[in-house]
Amino acid sequence: MGDPDVLEMVQEEERISNREAEYIFGMNEQSLSSRETSFLISEEPASAKRYNLFLKRRLLFKKDEQSKDSIFFRDGIRQIDFVLSYVDDLKKEADPKAERRKEFEQNLRKTGLELEIEDKRNSEDGKTYFVKIHAPWEVLVTYAEVLGIKMPIKESDIPLPENIPFSCMLEPLKLPKNVKHPHPEYFTAQFTRHRQELFLIEDKSSFFPSSSRNRIVYYILSRCPFGVEDGKKKFGIERLLTSNTYSSAYPLHDGQYWKPSEPPNPVNGRYTLCQNWARFSYFYKEQPLDLIRDYYGEKIGMYFVFLGFYTEMLSFAAVVGLACFIYGLLSMDNNSSSTEICDPKIGGQIIMCPLCDLVCDYWRLNTTCLASKISHLFDNESTVFFAIFMGIWVTLFLEFWKQRQARMEYEWDLVDFEEEQQQLQLRPEFEAMCKHRKINAVTKEMEPYMPLYSRLPWYFLSGATVTLWMALVIACMVAVIVYRLSVFATFASFMESEASFKHVKSFLTPQITTSLSGSCLNFIVILILNFFYEKISAWITKMEIPRTYQEYESSLTLKMFLFQFVNFYSSCFYVAFFKGKFVGYPGKYTYLFNVWRSEECDPGGCLIELTTQLTIIMTGKQIFGNIKEAIYPMVLNWWRRRKARTNSEKLYSRWEQDHDLETFGSLGLFYEYLETVIQFGFVTLFVASFPLAPLLALLNNIIEIRVDAWKLTTQYRRPVAAKAHSIGVWQDILYGMAVLSVATNAFIVAFTSDIIPRLVYYYAYSKDATAPMKGYVNDSLSTFLIADFPNHTAPWEKRDFTTCRYRDYRYPPDHDQKYFHNMQYWHVLAAKMTFIIVMEHVVFLVKFLLAWMIPDVPKDVLERIKREKLMTIKILHDFELNKLKENLRANSSELAKEVLIQENKTQLAKSTV
């Protein structure tokens, strides 16, 4: 690789013609380009012929040995930074795709990129051409300056932060130092090609990391023209991919993920990541964030920083939630409400009114014994504490995340990175569609412009589509409610008539059966709607023709989040805030569409049903998501490899291996963030009903990190590196959900939980000082006279009792205001509203105090930033000063020489005279 003769040949490549190269190799003009073979010597002396023969043998006879895992051109020197592939259709004469490719590749060469084409006869399927792209040093330094890439100028003298107390206890969780910190800390500055001496350039081939190299090449590819069609200038690799001119475009992985690279290949970052990050046995280890950033870029790196930090913070919430659950488990037998419901002398003697018209029978309260005990697991005194704790936890999470984000910005040289740099980069699709131009107010340059009236119809269509789909979600939720109402009576009559169900009736009641089946059906509907909406929203966003990539992502984020918010949470909102609240009372029930009677809550409240709904949707989504992420790309890759391997004796090269992998896509990270944010909503919005939600989320995220790492390193092509200094618009969404979560949890505790009515009874209506909660169940049930039932609602069979009970606070039938709300109802309602106001104000006050007390940027990070800026200015100043002195010395020495020459001439003239 370091042979000086070979290097000399590479420098002479522009002097060799395509015809001479083809003559040496005996190949047709489609198989090789001038740059592929131009390192051969064209002169005819014997030494040159021998050297040409050596190179020919090196290329052809040692190709298998060299190319198996090689990431270089055939010369073994120039590294492959990007690969394009296409299948040439020989049946079509004058194929416009071939013309586009030819012009596109010519223009790429004009920018300075070097190309090498692999003929289809060398590919395994015998159909695919591969265009390998190398960015030489001059191209890299030019575009590094254009993109404002920061590079090291001096090793940092700032000491690393001291270890925290008891850090030795965390040693098993840590990675080796050479993996966690693969390179020392440096002071950095934006790269300038005119100041190359300033930067720490030890080896030009490895100075720019591979992520920066593929980012630079993609920047050129996305702006390279390929012709004029219909009077419009066409450019960009994305448009060529859309038109199938090229079938794929991707940067290469460093090598195989299961083994290290062999010389002369550089260090295999993919293998290092797979060994220290993508292994499921390392689930308890920290992540090698610097390696992730170096290999995949800052944007993907920032996602894994966020996911890791969110998982760490979830561990605290999971411990507290588990403690609350254990408290409910331990106090379940001592719960007076469950004891009274299960007691045959109390709950067994209370006759409840039918839960549906005609076919449902009267039932005894003690049939809900098991449900009341399970309800106590989640509906107890710790519920209020946990709701307040989670309101504070979410504030701490977001504030500490700001600090973590600021620390990563400093460590990854993103402090001066401005999002405007990306905003000024127009999408090629936008530029291609624009017919108007105007002066940019910032850059003062002419740029493409699209008037609002051109986009207005698409905006209206977009808004109408999102509204229609959200309405469709609501309609599907109503359909599930109708299903539950219609099958409840069927379940009830079937379980009453079937003798075989008598043994399971104690725990599989019609309420539980309907709730479980309805929740499962609702989850299936959610997945189906989500699948179709993803396709439609992506298409509509493209039709809006967003100006920049950031605008495109923001528009798609708004559409997808609004829909998924309604899709995943609507059923939980219904159970939490609507079910059982507008039922009416026996004899005057409310009806849905005047057909189906409104659903009632269990005598213990609707909290247990909300818990069931939340558990099924949250757990089902997480399990389905992880299986899909792990199995889907693996099956696709297996099938693609199976179809491709038609010629097993041919070489399966590095670029072909990556070609057969699944594409991560520009929106791959978007869906990862969306999945995490939806989970964050489950953990925060309804956590008062399910304290185990943080624990389930924690377990899922531990698996999620390794699944994402595994699929990125083994199942997906390497994504193009991109910069990002934050998680973007998702942070604003998290703040909005954090504020909303305080209100939802306060309402869940007040209106869905049974804690407030119990407290009102305890302090205002209890008659037994020794057992204050004795008689609560009887007090919470109102009495209805069976004779007051309308004929079309009461059961057909006559009974030997005259009254039945139902859950509400109403006057009895012998009262002057019978069936109207009694005073206790208003006391309970007042207590609920008071609790909501007090809880919200307390939590919001604590949130604002914490946000004020915790700085967005840690003090030590601020000091490091100031120190680095100072040192960078000093180094630049010293560099320019030394350069100026050298120029002055050079100028003064030149001046002295001229003066000496003039003096010599004068002396010579005098002597001559």
Side-chain angles (χ1 to χ4, degrees):
M1 178 177 165
D3 191 335
D5 293 330
V6 177
L7 287 172
E8 185 180 345
M9 295 308 103
V10 174
Q11 292 169 358
E12 294 291 326
E13 65 175 345
E14 293 296 336
R15 301 191 298 105
I16 310 301
S17 69
N18 195 21
R19 182 179 299 174
E20 290 170 326
E22 288 174 1
Y23 176 78
I24 293 169
F25 282 95
M27 296 183 176
N28 59 37
E29 62 181 3
Q30 288 185 339
S31 62
L32 294 173
S33 68
S34 61
R35 284 190 180 271
E36 296 170 56
T37 57
S38 56
F39 52 83
L40 291 170
I41 301 174
S42 59
E43 289 82 357
E44 292 301 321
S47 60
K49 286 183 178 180
R50 283 195 299 271
Y51 197 75
N52 278 342
L53 184 62
F54 159 74
L55 286 178
K56 179 180 175 182
R57 287 173 176 171
R58 178 180 178 179
L59 292 178
L60 297 181
F61 296 105
K62 292 191 175 182
K63 184 179 175 184
D64 286 0
E65 180 184 342
Q66 175 207 345
S67 301
K68 184 72 176 177
D69 291 317
S70 175
I71 57 170
F72 294 97
F73 277 15
R74 295 194 191 106
D75 56 15
I77 299 172
R78 292 171 291 174
Q79 184 176 336
I80 301 170
D81 296 311
F82 227 88
V83 176
L84 309 178
S85 69
Y86 64 92
V87 177
D88 200 4
D89 192 353
L90 298 176
K91 296 179 182 179
K92 293 184 179 179
E93 295 184 3
D95 187 4
K97 293 180 182 178
E99 291 298 320
R100 290 190 204 125
R101 280 194 295 268
K102 182 179 178 182
E103 187 164 354
F104 185 69
E105 289 167 16
Q106 286 176 351
N107 290 330
L108 287 178
R109 289 190 177 98
K110 288 177 184 177
T111 65
L113 294 177
E114 297 176 1
L115 276 60
E116 183 176 82
I117 300 175
E118 285 290 334
D119 191 81
K120 65 180 180 181
R121 291 177 295 178
N122 295 328
S123 65
E124 195 175 25
D125 61 3
K127 300 176 183 177
T128 308
Y129 291 87
F130 290 94
V131 182
K132 298 176 287 186
I133 302 174
H134 167 73
W137 176 254
E138 285 303 317
V139 173
L140 292 174
V141 297
T142 301
Y143 283 93
E145 186 173 353
V146 170
L147 295 174
I149 296 175
K150 286 187 173 183
M151 300 306 294
I153 54 176
K154 181 185 177 182
E155 191 166 336
S156 175
D157 60 359
I158 303 173
L160 292 173
E162 297 179 2
N163 290 333
I164 59 173
F166 308 108
S167 60
C168 58
M169 298 174 62
L170 302 176
E171 282 299 323
L173 309 180
K174 294 182 179 179
L175 291 167
K177 287 186 178 180
N178 65 323
V179 175
K180 185 178 180 182
H181 302 292
H183 44 71
E185 288 290 325
Y186 293 103
F187 293 131
T188 59
Q190 283 195 1
F191 188 83
T192 309
R193 54 181 171 166
H194 302 298
R195 294 176 178 169
Q196 290 187 36
E197 303 86 353
L198 175 65
F199 295 89
L200 301 178
I201 305 175
E202 296 178 0
D203 181 6
K204 287 184 178 181
S205 63
S206 60
F207 178 66
F208 290 102
S210 57
S211 58
S212 297
R213 295 177 71 102
N214 72 60
R215 182 176 162 226
I216 288 170
V217 174
Y218 182 76
Y219 182 86
I220 298 171
L221 290 172
S222 63
R223 280 152 182 78
C224 183
F226 58 84
V228 177
E229 297 175 11
D230 301 326
K232 295 179 183 178
K233 191 177 181 181
K234 303 290 184 179
F235 55 89
I237 186 63
E238 293 298 330
R239 184 172 287 275
L240 291 172
L241 290 171
T242 304
S243 63
N244 290 321
T245 304
Y246 288 102
S247 57
S248 61
Y250 53 93
L252 278 186
H253 278 295
D254 283 356
Q256 307 283 10
Y257 65 84
W258 64 83
K259 65 177 182 179
S261 293
E262 298 176 359
N265 287 336
V267 176
N268 187 351
R270 186 187 189 191
Y271 171 76
T272 308
L273 284 171
C274 193
Q275 290 297 307
N276 297 280
W277 181 45
R279 291 166 63 184
F280 289 94
S281 58
Y282 272 39
F283 71 91
Y284 59 94
K285 294 276 190 181
E286 61 185 345
Q287 299 183 80
L289 298 173
D290 287 344
L291 277 177
I292 298 169
R293 175 241 184 167
D294 290 344
Y295 196 77
Y296 291 111
E298 289 81 359
K299 192 170 185 179
I300 289 179
M302 192 61 74
Y303 163 73
F304 282 103
V305 174
F306 171 74
L307 185 58
F309 180 77
Y310 172 47
T311 305
E312 290 171 17
M313 290 295 291
L314 273 175
S315 60
F316 299 103
V319 169
V320 177
L322 183 61
C324 292
F325 177 78
I326 292 173
Y327 170 81
L329 193 65
L330 296 176
S331 61
M332 188 165 59
D333 292 333
N334 299 325
N335 178 33
S336 59
S337 298
S338 299
T339 304
E340 290 186 357
I341 290 173
C342 297
D343 191 345
K345 295 181 180 178
I346 302 175
Q349 300 302 316
I350 296 176
I351 307 298
M352 301 297 292
C353 296
L355 294 172
C356 62
D357 295 342
L358 295 175
V359 295
C360 290
D361 202 356
Y362 301 97
W363 53 285
R364 297 187 183 274
L365 184 59
N366 65 345
T367 57
T368 62
C369 174
L370 181 63
S372 68
K373 288 183 176 181
I374 295 173
S375 179
H376 178 75
L377 289 173
F378 308 103
D379 189 5
N380 53 63
E381 294 78 8
S382 65
T383 302
V384 179
F385 163 75
F386 192 61
I388 296 172
F389 168 80
M390 287 303 294
I392 298 170
W393 174 87
V394 74
T395 304
L396 290 172
F397 163 67
L398 293 172
E399 293 303 318
F400 286 143
W401 165 244
K402 281 185 188 176
Q403 291 198 337
R404 183 63 180 276
Q405 194 168 255
R407 191 176 297 279
M408 298 313 298
E409 282 183 38
Y410 165 73
E411 292 179 1
W412 288 357
D413 298 320
L414 300 169
V415 173
D416 297 324
F417 174 76
E418 296 180 359
E419 208 69 44
E420 283 74 21
Q421 292 177 0
Q422 291 183 348
Q423 288 178 348
L424 291 174
Q425 294 177 11
L426 303 179
R427 293 175 71 239
E429 294 87 347
F430 175 82
E431 295 183 78
M433 293 294 292
C434 284
K435 298 179 181 178
H436 303 82
R437 288 183 169 270
K438 74 170 187 177
I439 296 177
N440 186 300
V442 178
T443 61
K444 300 299 180 183
E445 295 178 355
M446 294 295 291
E447 68 174 21
Y449 165 71
M450 183 167 288
L452 181 62
Y453 64 80
S454 300
R455 293 200 240 179
L456 210 55
W458 289 107
Y459 286 147
F460 280 120
L461 177 63
S462 175
T465 305
V466 175
T467 306
L468 176 66
W469 275 84
M470 287 196 291
L472 183 61
V473 171
I474 303 299
C476 290
M477 185 188 70
V478 172
V480 173
I481 294 170
V482 169
Y483 159 81
R484 289 149 61 117
L485 293 171
S486 59
V487 303
F488 178 82
T490 307
F491 275 129
S493 59
F494 182 71
M495 294 180 77
E496 281 292 331
S497 60
E498 288 290 329
S500 57
F501 282 97
K502 288 184 179 180
H503 301 292
V504 298
K505 280 173 64 178
S506 59
F507 59 88
L508 197 64
T509 62
Q511 295 97 317
I512 293 175
T513 308
T514 306
S515 176
L516 287 172
S517 62
S519 298
C520 293
L521 178 62
N522 190 59
F523 174 64
I524 294 169
V525 170
I526 285 172
L527 293 181
I528 293 171
L529 291 175
N530 198 52
F531 173 79
F532 287 107
Y533 183 78
E534 282 183 7
K535 313 294 182 186
I536 293 172
S537 60
W539 177 76
I540 288 178
T541 307
K542 284 183 181 178
M543 292 299 103
E544 290 176 4
I545 318 173
R547 183 172 176 271
T548 64
Y549 289 106
Q550 189 181 19
E551 286 182 13
Y552 176 84
E553 283 194 14
S554 298
S555 178
L556 184 62
T557 300
L558 179 64
K559 293 183 186 66
M560 286 298 298
F561 178 73
L562 282 176
F563 173 78
Q564 294 218 1
F565 186 92
V566 176
N567 195 23
F568 281 101
Y569 303 143
S570 57
S571 57
C572 294
F573 272 102
Y574 164 72
V575 175
F577 307 124
F578 297 98
K579 183 179 178 181
K581 307 299 186 292
F582 311 101
V583 176
Y585 59 91
K588 199 175 182 181
Y589 286 115
T590 57
Y591 287 82
L592 183 65
F593 306 128
N594 293 322
V595 177
W596 294 283
R597 204 174 96 184
S598 297
E599 285 187 286
E600 293 184 52
C601 289
D602 188 87
C606 272
L607 195 74
I608 186 62
E609 188 167 341
L610 176 59
T611 304
T612 305
Q613 186 87 4
L614 187 66
T615 305
I616 289 175
I617 295 177
M618 181 181 176
T619 309
K621 182 182 184 301
Q622 292 181 165
I623 293 173
F624 177 80
N626 281 324
I627 291 175
K628 178 186 173 185
E629 288 184 19
I631 303 298
Y632 179 72
M634 190 164 61
V635 171
L636 282 181
N637 291 337
W638 171 80
W639 180 252
R640 195 179 289 112
R641 283 192 292 265
R642 186 175 178 274
K643 286 177 65 179
R645 296 196 175 188
T646 54
N647 303 313
S648 57
E649 72 281 357
K650 292 195 175 182
L651 177 69
Y652 196 52
S653 60
R654 169 82 262 130
W655 44 89
E656 287 180 282
Q657 293 172 47
D658 285 9
H659 181 263
D660 286 346
L661 296 177
E662 184 66 13
T663 306
F664 188 65
S666 58
L667 295 177
L669 209 57
F670 166 82
Y671 289 111
E672 297 292 346
Y673 273 120
L674 183 62
E675 180 185 0
T676 306
V677 168
I678 293 297
Q679 185 206 79
F680 180 81
F682 284 122
V683 168
T684 55
L685 293 177
F686 308 101
V687 74
S689 68
F690 189 39
L692 293 179
L695 180 62
L696 291 180
L698 173 66
L699 296 175
N700 173 78
N701 287 1
I702 290 172
I703 299 171
E704 176 80 14
I705 289 173
R706 304 302 160 181
V707 168
D708 287 347
W710 173 80
K711 72 180 185 183
L712 267 176
T713 52
T714 67
Q715 302 302 311
Y716 281 94
R717 293 174 188 165
R718 187 174 183 175
V720 179
K723 273 185 177 278
H725 72 293
S726 68
I727 60 174
V729 69
W730 299 108
Q731 191 154 334
D732 298 326
I733 291 174
L734 292 176
Y735 274 104
M737 294 180 79
V739 172
L740 181 62
S741 69
V742 177
T744 55
N745 284 304
F747 273 88
I748 285 172
V749 173
F751 286 97
T752 312
S753 167
D754 207 33
I755 191 73
I756 301 299
R758 289 203 296 263
L759 288 173
V760 171
Y761 180 81
Y762 183 91
Y763 288 107
Y765 291 91
S766 177
K767 298 174 182 177
D768 192 336
T770 57
M773 292 305 294
K774 186 178 180 180
Y776 167 72
V777 172
N778 185 63
D779 181 75
S780 65
L781 300 174
S782 298
T783 305
F784 182 78
L785 189 64
I786 292 176
D788 291 338
F789 267 123
N791 291 332
H792 65 282
T793 61
W796 293 105
E797 297 181 16
K798 299 295 182 181
R799 302 294 180 182
D800 56 356
F801 43 82
T802 58
T803 61
C804 64
R805 311 295 295 276
Y806 61 99
R807 183 176 172 79
D808 209 343
Y809 294 103
R810 293 180 183 270
Y811 288 115
D814 56 354
H815 196 275
D816 294 338
Q817 297 180 333
K818 71 173 185 178
Y819 305 142
F820 280 91
H821 288 300
N822 58 22
M823 190 56 64
Q824 189 172 353
Y825 169 84
W826 300 108
H827 287 164
V828 171
L829 182 62
K832 288 178 177 180
M833 298 308 296
T834 303
F835 172 81
I836 290 171
I837 294 169
V838 171
M839 179 180 166
E840 285 187 350
H841 281 70
V842 168
V843 174
F844 280 129
L845 179 63
V846 174
K847 282 169 70 73
F848 291 135
L849 283 174
L850 289 172
W852 174 73
M853 291 169 61
I854 301 172
D856 290 350
V857 183
K859 184 180 178 182
D860 66 308
V861 173
L862 275 175
E863 292 172 351
R864 285 163 171 261
I865 292 171
K866 290 177 182 177
R867 170 68 179 166
E868 179 161 350
K869 283 185 176 179
L870 177 67
M871 289 303 298
T872 303
I873 292 171
K874 184 177 183 300
I875 292 168
L876 289 172
H877 175 266
D878 292 345
F879 174 79
E880 293 294 340
L881 188 61
N882 291 332
K883 199 171 182 180
L884 180 62
K885 286 179 180 178
E886 288 176 6
N887 291 336
L888 288 174
R889 282 198 205 99
N891 291 335
S892 62
S893 62
E894 290 289 333
L895 183 62
K897 286 179 182 177
E898 289 182 7
V899 169
L900 186 61
I901 291 169
Q902 290 297 329
E903 287 178 353
N904 289 337
K905 285 182 179 179
T906 305
Q907 290 293 334
L908 183 63
K910 287 180 179 180
S911 63
T912 304
V913 172

